[in-house]
Amino acid sequence: MIMKTKIFSAITVIGCCLLAIGCSDDFLDDMTVYGSFSEDKVYSSYAGALDRVNTLYRELLPQACQGSGNGSNGQNTYTSTGSPEVWSKSSLEYGGFTDFTNPDQELDYTNVTDYFYVINKSDSPWGNIRNANDIIEHIENSDKFTEEEKNKLLGQAYFFRAYRYWSLVKLYGGVPIIDHPQDPIIGDGDGSDKIVPRSSAKDCIQFICNDLQKAADMLPKSWGSADYGRITAGAAAALKGQVELFYASPLFNRVDEASRWETAYQTNKKALELLNEGGVGLAYSANGGTQNALNWAKMFLANDGSDGSVGETVLATLYNNRDKVETANYDKWNYWEHNLRPVNANGNGGLHPTAEMVDLFPMADGLQPGKSSIPYDRLCFWLNRDPRFYRTFAFPGVEWKFDTNGNDLNSYDDVGKKYVYAYFPHQYSGSGTNYQLWSYTWYASQDDADRMSSTSNGYTADLMAQKNSAVYIRKRSDDGALSASPLYRFSVSASTPKGFQQSAAPLIWMRYAEVLLDYAEAAAGANHLDEALQALQQIRARVGYTAEKNYGLPTDLTTREKMLAAVLYERQIELAYEGKAFDDVRRWMLFDGGTETFDGEPTTWHLTGFGGNTCTYLGVTPLNGQRRHEIVIYTRSLGDQKNDADPVLEKRPKALTLTEGLTYDDDAEEYGSNEAMNLADFYTAYLKRKDVNVDTNDDTKGIKFLPQYYFIGFKQSAMQTNPTLLQTVGWHDYSHGQAGTFDPLQ
């Protein structure tokens, strides 16, 4: 596991800065909005220039538990990282309609979120880009640095400029390209030279890839331990490969141009080589966890494999668990663990997956339910599943340990209230080391039991109030079974911090397995099917699948479309709840398969490749029209309407530790362990399952993502600020009083 001291010493921050390693207090005092610092002072030494580069980390690294904002609070809150925000909820991962999927609302230039955010502030996209441009211009023209110092500084600045541009281009298509710091003061001129029109998406992609190639050429393959978390050559190449894969995908590549796939394939292949040379690879590749993916789960908390294997991290946001102080807040906490944990563990209530995601995960033979020879028991859905299932989800009857930091959870505060109200003395000790999740529900009336509303009355076991959802997301949890030294500092305080808030767990927002899957997809798209298959086999082998059983993969991956479908399915499983789902759905146009049109749609938007329908091509169901559900596990018998009236409390078996055999042995005609058999018998005898609609209580309404949303339009304010900013086709152009004319595909 990562040493706490390494995380803490690596992070010296301004406010809630993330990676400003080695910043001086004087510089932090001086650093304000761009243009208000002393350029002579900042760029006069490597240390000063590095401090300037470090502000890009602060502003642009993705934040855990964010993704719905536009970055207007000074940090990157627009990148999905797996929380239930607008991007993840526009996929199968979470329920609840968003602006993009709501069938009762149509977005236009007045109500669409402004991710373009045209404003002269350092925390706007254009402020971020100006900061990067300022760094690049001053360092390129300076004679105060060695060539090695210049390369390190410039490489990081080029990476972040490209990353910020990419966040805009993948949403809007072409945007204005500004590659130098403009003077915000117009002076005596009319300022027309400051108004930059949109460039084509093709030119923007080329600009981004050029920056990333420069970064890959300039940056080291690895940094010393004191600089862990900085951008490397491999990380820059990996992002370039991801951009090129996006550009090869149907969203940008409606005609299925083969050269784009080949380009993405070559770049991702090179990225893997650079990462390997920098000591990054598939962590725990030989022992990820045959049965329960134990080590696979550890990699989200570690720089390196605790068994001495390589680390998986390509790009990460680092956190600490320092105390908040009034004079200078150098704390930066990751709230993911707090959000995952149930209320009776002193968490924030938990995050809940859709039933569709739970049912999607492979069976123990590696094949999808319905395509596997193993029957799928919808009630005992946890039996016979892929090892990663058990580290992605938590379900009724499983341990989920935590460290209470010496606090007795059965003790009382000054007013006589138990700190964590759900613990029954006869069931638990006052420690989280034997915490068991029993998230089933009981109802007082049969009408409530039969009701399919997500808001139906009911009482969830162990005083979890009316948290009816039975399944919790466990992905990236700092689980007590993984390590005896958690990265959070648990608290029972009624005020901040409480529970698991004060956590230093890193946010790994790109890891080696994702790059390997990017490579596999690009290889499949470029018809290098053998190489795509080998990459999938590596992913599967880590969690225990073997060659003699074809690594749990279908045996008919002999065509391009079947191989692409297999890679995309593997992405859904391996990268679940890591913020990748919406991008994958959107770039493959899986809301409608690319078949729906809008008034005035250009011919360039017509999907002529991929058989004219990406959903049919891949053999998947379009998301449009689908409704998402959450699993409720409830007792067959009714109970009283009070928290301590659990009708099956005394019937519970021992909760699973996940070290037991969890598969059914057909030859022996028994489960792999008595514990699994006992829990399955408990479910069968005393519990039932229902899937409640969590999009809306109206079962006639499903996801509705309109075709013009594949590239969103500008909000009115952006067009007013820049009258040359032509609106995207399918959206109204406020400045010119007509339908949009800018085609992102030209």
Side-chain angles (χ1 to χ4, degrees), residues 295-360:
N295 285 340
W296 179 85
K298 288 182 181 179
M299 70 182 170
F300 295 102
L301 305 170
N303 295 347
D304 302 302
S306 61
D307 62 346
S309 67
V310 297
E312 180 114 352
T313 302
V314 176
L315 291 166
T317 303
L318 302 186
Y319 291 85
N320 63 41
N321 58 22
R322 296 176 179 175
D323 291 329
K324 291 181 180 292
V325 294
E326 293 183 4
T327 54
N329 285 336
Y330 295 115
D331 58 279
K332 181 60 183 176
W333 302 345
N334 183 343
Y335 291 90
W336 178 256
E337 188 74 25
H338 187 69
N339 287 347
L340 290 184
R341 293 287 185 163
V343 292
N344 68 349
N346 229 20
N348 201 39
L351 304 178
H352 303 286
T354 62
E356 286 72 20
M357 280 296 293
V358 171
D359 292 340
L360 181 73

Side-chain angles (χ1 to χ4, degrees), residues 404-636:
T404 55
N405 195 28
N407 293 297
D408 180 358
L409 300 180
N410 283 331
S411 61
Y412 293 81
D413 62 18
D414 293 340
V415 295
K417 181 180 179 181
K418 192 179 289 188
Y419 279 118
V420 181
Y421 58 83
Y423 281 81
F424 295 107
H426 71 277
Q427 184 181 344
Y428 302 114
S429 70
S431 168
T433 56
N434 65 347
Y435 177 83
Q436 301 172 11
L437 180 69
W438 291 103
S439 47
Y440 57 79
T441 296
W442 72 88
Y443 297 101
S445 73
Q446 194 59 48
D447 285 345
D448 283 335
D450 294 339
R451 190 174 294 125
M452 299 304 292
S453 167
S454 62
T455 57
S456 60
N457 294 325
Y459 287 85
T460 303
D462 293 359
L463 299 181
M464 283 198 234
Q466 294 183 13
K467 303 288 185 182
N468 300 126
S469 299
V471 188
Y472 285 69
I473 294 168
R474 191 176 190 155
K475 184 74 171 283
R476 296 182 293 183
S477 174
D478 197 350
D479 192 330
L482 305 181
S483 170
S485 301
L487 296 172
Y488 56 78
R489 295 169 63 183
F490 185 84
S491 171
V492 294
S493 170
S495 59
T496 302
K498 179 183 179 182
F500 307 86
Q501 294 181 56
Q502 202 166 345
S503 173
L507 167 65
I508 301 174
W509 53 280
M510 183 187 289
R511 56 189 177 93
Y512 188 85
E514 181 182 357
V515 184
L516 191 57
L517 286 166
D518 290 347
Y519 165 72
E521 185 179 339
N527 272 307
H528 303 292
L529 301 188
D530 288 347
E531 292 177 65
L533 180 60
Q534 290 168 11
L536 288 180
Q537 290 171 345
Q538 289 182 61
I539 297 287
R540 287 294 184 94
R542 171 163 62 174
V543 290
Y545 293 103
T546 61
E548 70 174 333
K549 294 189 177 181
N550 199 40
Y551 298 97
L553 295 166
T555 58
D556 62 347
L557 301 182
T558 56
T559 65
R560 180 179 185 248
E561 56 267 34
K562 287 184 177 180
M563 187 64 75
L564 283 166
V567 174
L568 288 167
Y569 176 61
E570 199 66 21
R571 291 181 71 91
Q572 284 184 286
I573 306 308
E574 177 71 22
L575 305 177
Y577 302 100
E578 295 183 43
K580 314 301 176 182
F582 177 74
D583 276 355
D584 287 350
V585 168
R586 181 171 162 263
R587 65 189 177 86
W588 273 93
M589 306 184 76
L590 298 183
F591 289 101
D592 64 331
T595 61
E596 296 180 15
T597 61
F598 55 84
D599 290 342
E601 180 178 279
T603 57
T604 53
W605 282 53
H606 298 168
L607 189 73
T608 57
F610 312 98
N613 185 323
T614 58
C615 291
T616 302
Y617 185 79
L618 298 171
V620 300
T621 304
L623 263 69
N624 273 354
Q626 289 197 52
R627 290 176 288 276
R628 292 156 299 181
H629 304 78
E630 285 182 357
I631 295 173
V632 175
I633 300 296
Y634 62 103
T635 61
R636 292 178 178 271

Side-chain angles (χ1 to χ4, degrees), residues 13-87:
V13 289
I14 174 173
C16 50
C17 184
L18 308 175
L19 256 176
I21 302 166
C23 290
S24 68
D25 290 340
D26 289 343
F27 175 71
L28 293 177
D29 290 339
D30 289 342
M31 178 53 194
T32 52
V33 178
Y34 68 79
S36 62
F37 56 84
S38 169
E39 294 180 359
D40 291 340
K41 180 178 179 181
V42 169
Y43 294 113
S44 63
S45 68
Y46 178 73
L50 184 61
D51 281 343
R52 186 82 173 96
V53 168
N54 289 339
T55 64
L56 298 176
Y57 285 87
R58 175 178 64 85
E59 294 170 354
L60 294 175
L61 286 181
Q63 305 297 298
C65 311
Q66 296 289 345
S68 296
N70 64 357
S72 58
N73 68 348
Q75 296 176 356
N76 179 344
T77 57
Y78 45 81
T79 298
S80 178
T81 55
S83 293
E85 24 73 353
V86 64
W87 311 119

